[in-house]
Amino acid sequence: MNHRWLGVLLGGVFWSSGAGAHDFLAEKLVNGSKQALVTSYPTTLNFTFKATNIHPTLPSVLLAATDNLLSSCTFLPAPPLTVPVGGNVTYQCQYNVVSYDACVALGALDSNPDSPNATVSFTNIFGIGWENSGSSQASTNVLCTQEPVLHCDDTIYISTSSSTPEGLPSGPSHLYIFDPATGSLALQGDTALPYNALAFNHKDGFLYAISANAVDPPQLVRVDANGSTQVIAPLVTGAANSARWGAGAFLKEGIFVGFEITTNHLILVNPQTGAVLSDMVVGTPSTFRVADVAVSPVDGLLYGFNSATQRVTVVDPRTGTFSDIPFRSKVNDATSEGNSMVSAIFTADGRLFFYGTTNANTSRANTFYSVNMATGVLSTVSTGPTTQFADGATCNFKADSSGGLSPAPVTRDRGFYLSSEKALTECMAPGPIALGNVGAVFGVDDALGVLWANPAISSDNVVRSEMAALTVKVAREWVTAVCNERVFGTPAPALSAQEAVLPADRETLEGTLHRLEAHNLSGARWAVPLSKEFWNLDPTWGLGRAVEPGFWEKAR
């Protein structure tokens, strides 16, 4: 399981007065202790701050209590406060953690250059200070773990495993999320078992696969969001233990489909018990050879790439009959020669994608293709890492998924919209984005001007004031948040009346900025939906079009 430490929250800083200041001790708790564990979302964390006067004879004056991260927290009664000998000032604050991703996103906003990482997601220190450089610090930790259930959306999961010197599958196996827009793999977790034939079960929100090492009997395993595996049961089939189980999929009714490429056994399996419901042989290895299959949400048939014929092929999972489409596939404009597609996935709207080799190198699977199912033409979407014993899966039956499998709350930072003309155009299509009293963004060129704006200096080389710089930063993040809502359907944070009126006071601007930054990073773990077709990101496309608005002067 992937664990993330949050040395959290509420970076309240208490300052004592000058001549009348004495000694304070800072204390901080979360849910009544120094450490809390979060395993489900949303959840509410209860934070306690305490500043205790520890001077033996004199009162001390608390001048300020501030929280630079969570603008929703208030400190009442408000400083300045005189604290008697042995007395203390205690503040309470509740903070709602809406998701694992929102929790981890806070790590990008702290002062720790090493977070978030494998052991620390967020670091925050509660400190108090007084005259003569006196100080005291306290911190709390929150351990956030991912929920094991996956979202039902277009997120592409890729699994890989290792091999023995003899070329047999071996552990560990790795679970990744693949982003076709960037061609990158994001590791989600590992397990000691080798597995392949990965498939997304839309009925319960887990991945399933077949663990087989070509020596022992194969096993059906369940894979959670952290890449951890649970063995369901051994699979009793007509295939030998040496069979290579490589293809997996789920039928609409929630039945697992597995296929091995040694003797071509196709099995239907009850995923709850591991019981094999049917076992049939599809063609022969010389006539039918597929590395992966996916179930079409349109007709319920299996689709894959037949390496034996270099054609897109269709299989009836109930009868085991198959038929290739009439046309030999083309890889872009060239006839396919010796290629293999190690992963096949369908989107919920019935579009097919492969991940596999190229004519230039038929031994390296590193290219993501969109597939024309009528002509068999494979068009390159992006190039990714080379994978071994790899398989892919996504949730292709959204309408039939469990009620709890909500779409992922996808977000992207402003760099994404600066790199995708299609995404920014879609964002601005509904109309202007209001920026309080400073103005509004009316089109793509205006949006580029805001997103490209330099907080320190204007496009005409005028140094911005501190307030103008803060306003620029908030405006950039607000445009990004609105774009995330318009493009991905992830609601932008609700701004208070004070926050919505730009320019606001400094404290309000800083709090709003932190909240918007955390929101725009909170869904970065989830891949952009395939239906958007936001391929080929180019961070330079809008440089010549950006028109910086002239309304920043209102914030000076």
Side-chain angles (χ1 to χ4, degrees):
M1 178 176 292
N2 289 345
H3 290 168
R4 298 288 189 268
W5 280 104
L6 273 147
V8 176
L9 296 167
L10 300 171
V13 179
F14 291 167
W15 296 98
S16 58
S17 65
H22 295 98
D23 291 348
F24 276 107
L25 173 68
E27 298 175 85
K28 183 178 176 183
L29 299 174
V30 54
N31 293 349
S33 66
K34 297 295 292 182
Q35 178 178 309
L37 176 66
V38 179
T39 59
S40 62
Y41 307 88
T43 191
T44 299
L45 298 175
N46 296 291
F47 290 91
T48 302
F49 301 89
K50 182 185 290 186
T52 302
N53 178 14
I54 60 173
H55 194 278
T57 60
L58 296 174
S60 297
V61 179
L62 181 67
L63 282 185
T66 61
D67 173 15
N68 295 325
L69 191 65
L70 303 179
S71 58
S72 60
C73 291
T74 58
F75 295 93
L76 295 175
L81 297 170
T82 299
V83 182
V85 175
N88 65 74
V89 179
T90 301
Y91 295 105
Q92 303 284 340
C93 180
Q94 290 187 333
Y95 183 75
N96 187 36
V97 180
V98 297
S99 68
Y100 168 79
D101 301 292
C103 197
V104 174
L106 292 172
L109 304 176
D110 67 7
S111 59
N112 183 351
D114 297 324
S115 66
N117 58 48
T119 58
V120 177
S121 288
F122 184 89
T123 301
N124 193 280
I125 298 173
F126 165 55
I128 57 177
W130 52 91
E131 67 178 350
N132 300 322
S133 300
S135 65
S136 176
Q137 294 180 337
S139 64
T140 56
N141 293 306
V142 176
L143 175 60
C144 285
T145 62
Q146 292 187 39
E147 291 181 287
V149 176
L150 302 164
H151 290 280
C152 183
D153 60 7
D154 286 348
T155 298
I156 302 170
Y157 299 93
I158 298 287
S159 67
T160 67
S161 60
S162 305
S163 64
T164 67
E166 296 74 29
L168 301 179
S170 68
S173 295
H174 311 285
L175 180 67
Y176 299 91
I177 285 179
F178 175 68
D179 188 344
T182 61
S184 60
L185 292 175
L187 181 65
Q188 306 301 299
D190 309 291
T191 185
L193 292 176
Y195 65 79
N196 206 329
L198 189 71
F200 192 113
N201 186 354
H202 53 282
K203 295 295 186 180
D204 65 8
F206 287 95
L207 296 162
Y208 288 76
I210 296 177
S211 176
N213 59 11
V215 176
D216 301 309
Q219 299 173 310
L220 181 69
V221 298
R222 189 176 74 174
V223 186
D224 67 19
N226 305 308
S228 300
T229 53
Q230 175 189 354
V231 175
I232 303 299
L235 293 171
V236 181
T237 76
N241 290 347
S242 59
R244 303 290 185 92
W245 294 91
F250 266 92
L251 303 180
K252 182 178 180 179
E253 57 268 38
I255 300 299
F256 178 81
V257 180
F259 178 76
E260 55 88 11
I261 60 174
T262 306
T263 52
N264 285 28
H265 280 259
L266 180 76
I267 59 173
L268 302 185
V269 182
N270 181 326
Q272 280 73 48
T273 65
V276 176
L277 306 176
S278 67
D279 185 348
M280 63 197 85
V281 175
V282 181
T284 67
S286 62
T287 61
F288 182 81
R289 189 171 182 83
V290 295
D292 195 21
V293 293
V295 177
S296 167
V298 177
D299 59 23
L301 299 177
L302 304 174
Y303 286 74
F305 184 79
N306 190 347
S307 299
T309 61
Q310 296 293 292
R311 285 170 168 81
V312 175
T313 193
V314 186
V315 185
D316 187 330
R318 300 298 182 185
T319 65
T321 58
F322 77 96
S323 60
D324 293 342
I325 69 168
F327 309 104
R328 187 183 181 100
S329 288
K330 287 189 175 182
V331 178
N332 299 314
D333 296 324
T335 300
S336 180
E337 299 289 348
N339 283 300
S340 176
M341 300 296 138
V342 300
S343 299
I345 61 169
F346 264 108
T347 61
D349 59 0
R351 289 185 295 168
L352 179 62
F353 294 85
F354 290 152
Y355 194 88
T357 62
T358 66
N359 283 349
N361 191 332
T362 58
S363 63
R364 291 169 57 91
N366 66 351
T367 304
F368 188 65
Y369 298 101
S370 62
V371 182
N372 185 318
M373 293 188 291
T375 64
V377 173
L378 279 58
S379 301
T380 298
V381 171
S382 61
T383 300
T386 299
T387 57
Q388 181 183 34
F389 294 115
D391 201 6
T394 193
C395 184
N396 55 338
F397 287 107
K398 296 181 181 62
D400 301 282
S401 66
S402 165
L405 302 184
S406 59
V410 178
T411 62
R412 286 297 183 268
D413 62 14
R414 69 184 183 92
F416 173 80
Y417 294 98
L418 287 173
S419 301
S420 176
E421 181 178 7
K422 188 174 182 180
L424 191 58
T425 300
E426 181 178 333
C427 170
M428 296 309 303
I433 298 175
L435 296 175
N437 291 334
V438 300
V441 175
F442 291 97
V444 171
D445 292 356
D446 285 346
L448 286 168
V450 172
L451 295 174
W452 275 113
N454 184 342
I457 189 170
S458 69
S459 59
D460 55 358
N461 295 320
V462 175
V463 176
R464 302 190 201 274
S465 68
E466 184 178 11
M467 287 297 294
L470 267 175
T471 301
V472 170
K473 292 178 181 179
V474 171
R476 295 189 313 186
E477 294 302 321
W478 178 243
V479 170
T480 302
V482 172
C483 283
N484 282 326
E485 179 171 304
R486 292 179 174 184
V487 175
F488 300 123
T490 302
L495 298 184
S496 67
Q498 185 180 14
E499 290 176 310
V501 181
L502 290 176
D505 61 86
R506 176 177 175 176
E507 183 177 355
T508 299
L509 283 175
E510 289 177 341
T512 304
L513 178 61
H514 282 302
R515 195 150 63 92
L516 291 173
E517 287 176 332
H519 170 78
N520 291 330
L521 291 170
S522 65
R525 172 175 178 264
W526 304 104
V528 172
L530 290 172
S531 58
K532 296 295 184 180
E533 296 187 355
F534 293 153
W535 323 133
N536 304 319
L537 300 183
D538 178 8
T540 64
W541 73 270
L543 281 174
R545 294 180 54 181
V547 178
E548 183 172 323
F551 49 59
W552 306 123
E553 288 75 11
K554 297 180 181 180
R556 292 180 179 176

